[in-house]
Amino acid sequence: MTEDKNTPTDEPTYTPMLSKLFPSFSGTCTKEEFKEAWKTGFIFSILWGGLQALVVLLSSDNLFLCITLSLLLFVPYCIFCIKKVLPQAVRRFHSFGMNYTCWYVIPNIALLVPYVICAIIRSNGATVFALVLMITWLSYNIWIIRKCYCQDSPEDKKLSALRKKTVFSASTLKLR
């Protein structure tokens, strides 16, 4: 049986698609690096939300001004997330042996598109279905983020074992 060249393998020569386009997405990251990126992203999101609320309060009479200022604030927020948080998320998925596109992007699109359609239709059945979709979406995202944020990946376990071995070696040298 021959293996397809497009099939991901465990060989170090396998490069995920986003890593080809964006070199900062390649590799893996530890749980600590991921937590630091997400804490920074969370704080930046709170600041962006505060500025967004301020813009809405100050320009509530002029809808065009409100939309323009909101979009101007959204651009640096997106740039920050793309440069700081997204690469760490992609690398964290890689450290679990998961592909970011397959495990995060596609399921989120698959759940949000029908949700938006149901929100547009606004019938009783569509509202119930939209609620079920939103609960499913939240549950999946909580599961995925919890996995990346709380669990040790195989890479973390290797690094932890290496650190223990190094500490043990250093402590035996001090005893002599």
Side-chain angles (χ1 to χ4, degrees):
M1 190 179 209
T2 61
E3 188 173 333
D4 183 16
K5 290 184 179 180
N6 295 328
T7 305
T9 63
D10 291 335
E11 298 173 7
T13 57
Y14 167 62
T15 304
M17 190 59 168
L18 285 176
S19 299
K20 289 180 184 176
L21 299 173
F22 307 103
S24 65
F25 289 3
S26 63
T28 61
C29 79
T30 63
K31 184 170 42 173
E32 289 79 21
E33 292 170 336
F34 180 76
K35 283 182 177 183
E36 188 62 35
W38 279 85
K39 284 178 190 174
T40 306
F42 182 72
I43 291 169
F44 199 78
S45 295
I46 290 173
L47 292 173
W48 178 75
L51 284 173
Q52 191 69 28
L54 186 64
V55 163
V56 170
L57 286 174
L58 294 177
S59 62
S60 60
D61 296 337
N62 188 345
L63 182 62
F64 179 75
L65 179 64
C66 182
I67 292 171
T68 304
L69 289 175
S70 296
L71 290 175
L72 286 175
L73 287 173
F74 191 63
V75 170
Y77 176 74
C78 287
I79 290 171
F80 171 81
C81 288
I82 289 170
K83 290 184 80 51
K84 299 288 183 188
V85 180
L86 185 61
Q88 294 291 24
V90 172
R91 285 189 231 140
R92 186 66 182 157
F93 274 76
H94 291 172
S95 63
F96 280 100
M98 299 174 3
N99 185 320
Y100 184 79
T101 305
C102 292
W103 281 89
Y104 194 76
V105 175
I106 293 172
N108 277 295
I109 291 171
L111 286 170
L112 287 178
V113 168
Y115 176 78
V116 169
I117 293 170
C118 290
I120 291 171
I121 294 173
R122 293 187 184 213
S123 69
N124 288 338
T127 304
V128 171
F129 187 63
L131 179 63
V132 170
L133 284 172
M134 185 54 69
I135 291 170
T136 306
W137 180 77
L138 284 171
S139 301
Y140 182 77
N141 281 303
I142 288 169
W143 173 76
I144 271 293
I145 291 171
R146 183 178 174 272
K147 179 180 179 92
C148 290
Y149 201 82
C150 298
Q151 292 181 1
D152 287 338
S153 70
E155 295 292 323
D156 292 332
K157 292 174 184 173
K158 288 178 191 175
L159 187 60
S160 176
L162 183 63
R163 284 183 185 158
K164 286 180 184 176
K165 187 176 180 181
T166 306
V167 168
F168 180 70
S169 297
S171 65
T172 56
L173 288 174
K174 289 179 183 177
L175 294 175
R176 294 180 187 181

